[in-house]
Amino acid sequence: MTALRLVTVTGEALRPHLADVARLRIAVFREWPYLYDGDAVYEERYLARYPAAPGAAVVLAFDGKRVVGASTCLPLVEEGDTVKAPFLAAGWDVGRVFYFGESVLLPEYRGRGAGVGFFTAREAHARRFPGIDTAAFCAVARDPTDPRRPAAYVPLDAFWRKRGYTPSPELACTMRWKEIGGSEEMPHRLTFWLKPLSPEAA
């Protein structure tokens, strides 16, 4: 089994890879719990910020020359108001926080260490920036009794806790997307998980 190669890419070097990241987001987020009916136009607009945003990076997973996974991050100050708002409302200095956007990996490559590698690489990147002491990401909150939930689905909570993240349910935001089989965008609640990146933040 070929080992996956993880590469952290920033700035203009990201542009040739954005179509691959869009493809992965559309494919992986169709799965539970997101059920995202991907839109190529939205993906192009969403991902275009990463080459331009100061401090942004994408960790790419390669199988040979093929991109099979991607994981994004950027300083929270560079994120949109939807993501920043709960932190500002809770009195946070958003300049202290690095936001981890998403990790997407094709199913056949899971269980080979890429998930751990994505977090390790993003945390290493975030620690390069003075004043950053906290990593944060958010995940969609679904009703565990939802009949669409696959019987074999295993939540990632234990994996995230093992990486040192803890849930902060008081921090939540709402994002809108169209679900598979739906006709229009719907609101979805996402809650945040946090990890201190320095002893001072613990």
Side-chain angles (χ1 to χ4, degrees):
M1 185 178 292
T2 305
L4 297 181
R5 178 171 55 96
L6 301 187
V7 180
T8 301
V9 185
T10 62
E12 289 302 310
L14 275 169
R15 291 200 187 276
H17 301 291
L18 294 184
D20 285 325
V21 179
R23 169 181 55 83
L24 289 164
R25 277 175 44 89
I26 290 173
V28 173
F29 284 145
R30 284 185 68 85
E31 303 172 17
W32 177 268
Y34 287 89
L35 303 178
Y36 169 54
D37 187 1
D39 180 280
V41 173
Y42 170 81
E43 291 296 321
E44 181 179 352
R45 183 173 67 250
Y46 170 78
L47 293 169
R49 62 192 175 145
Y50 280 96
V58 179
V59 184
L60 300 172
F62 289 88
D63 179 5
K65 294 183 179 180
R66 181 190 180 205
V67 178
V68 300
S71 193
T72 65
C73 63
L74 77 172
L76 183 58
V77 293
E78 299 296 332
E79 252 297 339
D81 292 341
T82 296
V83 177
K84 287 188 292 191
F87 289 87
L88 292 170
W92 278 75
D93 173 3
V94 294
R96 295 171 45 200
V97 183
F98 223 85
Y99 177 66
F100 293 175
E102 64 269 293
S103 291
V104 286
L105 184 68
L106 294 177
E108 60 267 34
Y109 292 95
R110 295 172 191 168
R112 293 167 58 175
V116 173
F118 283 154
F119 274 104
T120 300
R122 290 185 296 179
E123 290 168 13
H125 179 75
R127 288 188 175 100
R128 296 174 48 218
F129 295 86
I132 295 292
D133 61 20
T134 303
F137 68 87
C138 61
V140 66
R142 290 288 196 185
D143 181 348
T145 66
D146 190 313
R148 299 172 298 176
R149 173 178 166 140
Y153 175 73
V154 178
L156 290 172
D157 298 39
F159 172 78
W160 294 330
R161 289 180 188 277
K162 192 172 183 180
R163 307 275 75 75
Y165 291 81
T166 55
S168 297
E170 75 280 5
L171 297 173
C173 67
T174 300
M175 298 184 186
R176 301 181 66 89
W177 65 81
K178 187 172 71 169
E179 293 186 354
I180 296 168
S183 60
E184 59 186 28
E185 291 185 345
M186 298 177 57
H188 298 81
R189 185 172 186 268
L190 295 92
T191 56
F192 285 84
W193 292 63
L194 307 180
K195 176 181 177 176
L197 293 179
S198 69
E200 294 78 12

